[in-house]
Amino acid sequence: MRLLTRALVAVALAAMAAVVVRLRGTGGTPPHRGGWRELSTEDFVEPVEEP
């Protein structure tokens, strides 16, 4: 019975920690810098190494 009690207390503490971390998250929208750009055919050509 003691093992079951300890296990339940550990699960409860982990759940409470998860709730705190979840509620204290920064949230909001991600930054809008960078992003996608259309690739040109030059982006697919490998550079030629000169000896």
Side-chain angles (χ1 to χ4, degrees):
M1 193 61 154
R2 187 178 221 175
L3 180 65
L4 180 62
T5 305
R6 285 185 179 184
L8 288 176
V9 169
V11 169
L13 288 175
M16 288 172 43
V19 167
V20 168
V21 169
R22 177 87 172 162
L23 291 178
R24 291 194 47 112
T26 57
T29 58
H32 292 278
R33 288 180 280 153
W36 295 90
R37 67 177 178 88
E38 187 173 342
L39 296 176
S40 66
T41 54
E42 296 172 357
D43 292 322
F44 295 104
V45 177
E46 293 184 24
V48 177
E49 295 181 18
E50 296 182 17

